[in-house]
Amino acid sequence: MGMHGSAHIVWDWNGTLFHDNDAIIGATNAAFAELGLAPITLEQYRTLYCVPVPKFYERLLGRLPTDAEWERMDGVFHRHYIQHRVRCGLTEGAAELLAEWRSAGHSQSLLSMYGHEELVPLVRGFGIEGHFMRVDGRTGPSGGSKAEHMVRHLEAMSGPVEAARTVVIGDAADDAVAARHVGARAVLYTGGSHGRASLEEVGVPVVDTLAEAVAEAQRIAA
């Protein structure tokens, strides 16, 4: 799928292909309750959220959580996220865009910071796994950056995929950081974890729909 030197998209999952904002907020507020924090709205989350995730909690607590607090909150978050995600689906038009990109002779893959063992069956359940050269979720502890995961992801596809012709499509500033780390480009989508203002600070194209993201990826990888 895709010839040597062809444009390649690395898709993000949470907040990009998977429209899980409601699950994220529900699970985040459950984790906050563990430390006696007041619940936050989606807009507050999109304004304050950052990676690594403990820094996000620092913005709310006024201090970094202790290791014990972080471990407890992270566990609560993931437990509640699994309960909430069943009500979430793919972002509007995502399945069609994946099929069209593949039909055009381009390649694509999926890299998420969601745990690999949870990610793969979730993607498979939506019937889209066959569109991707690789589907990689996070291995190891949660809460960190995607940059080193991106290195391993691209190395595993070295040959048909060149970093210079690769565009990362995601909803977080960290997606652009990870792209820059490997010499790829990035397009950021406003429908997920970050608001437009914080995304525009990164200095890469920012779009409001996945269709616009794909069109921009095609343009900058040409």
Side-chain angles (χ1 to χ4, degrees):
M1 182 169 59
M3 301 298 290
H4 183 71
S6 177
H8 180 84
I9 291 175
V10 178
W11 291 95
D12 173 57
W13 180 245
N14 302 96
T16 303
L17 288 176
F18 189 45
H19 187 64
D20 61 347
N21 289 347
D22 288 345
I24 292 287
I25 288 299
T28 295
N29 283 332
F32 284 178
E34 285 286 301
L35 292 185
L37 292 172
I40 63 171
T41 65
L42 175 60
E43 286 312 305
Q44 288 173 315
Y45 179 92
R46 283 159 53 84
T47 298
L48 296 171
Y49 181 73
C50 63
V51 173
V53 180
K55 296 289 290 182
F56 167 53
Y57 290 136
E58 181 182 26
R59 293 180 173 184
L60 295 149
L61 286 169
R63 61 173 176 81
L64 278 171
T66 66
D67 290 345
E69 287 171 336
W70 160 247
E71 195 170 315
R72 186 165 82 251
M73 293 170 76
D74 190 48
V76 171
F77 174 89
H78 287 288
R79 188 168 69 251
H80 282 269
Y81 177 82
I82 288 171
Q83 296 171 3
H84 285 285
R85 78 179 189 198
V86 297
R87 296 190 295 274
C88 301
L90 296 178
T91 300
E92 184 177 357
E96 293 79 8
L97 288 167
L98 293 173
E100 289 167 6
W101 184 257
R102 184 186 183 192
S103 295
H106 303 304
S107 60
Q108 56 198 331
S109 58
L110 175 59
L111 176 62
S112 173
M113 293 299 283
Y114 192 44
H116 185 76
E117 298 304 319
E118 293 82 17
L119 173 70
V120 172
L122 187 55
V123 172
R124 188 171 295 150
F126 284 110
I128 58 174
E129 185 182 20
H131 294 311
F132 303 113
M133 289 181 67
R134 285 187 68 85
V135 174
D136 287 329
R138 173 186 49 77
T139 56
S142 62
S145 172
K146 186 180 273 188
E148 291 306 319
H149 294 269
M150 186 69 71
V151 172
R152 293 190 291 272
H153 183 70
L154 290 189
E155 284 178 348
M157 298 182 293
S158 61
V161 175
E162 299 176 19
R165 298 293 308 281
T166 295
V167 180
V168 177
I169 296 179
D171 69 316
D174 190 53
D175 291 301
V177 172
R180 191 175 300 125
H181 186 68
V182 296
R185 311 285 287 277
V187 178
L188 298 180
Y189 162 63
T190 62
S193 62
H194 285 37
R196 173 174 278 276
S198 61
L199 293 180
E200 288 180 338
E201 294 175 1
V202 184
V204 303
V206 176
V207 298
D208 296 319
T209 68
L210 292 188
E212 292 175 283
V214 171
E216 188 65 17
Q218 175 74 75
R219 185 187 70 79
I220 64 180

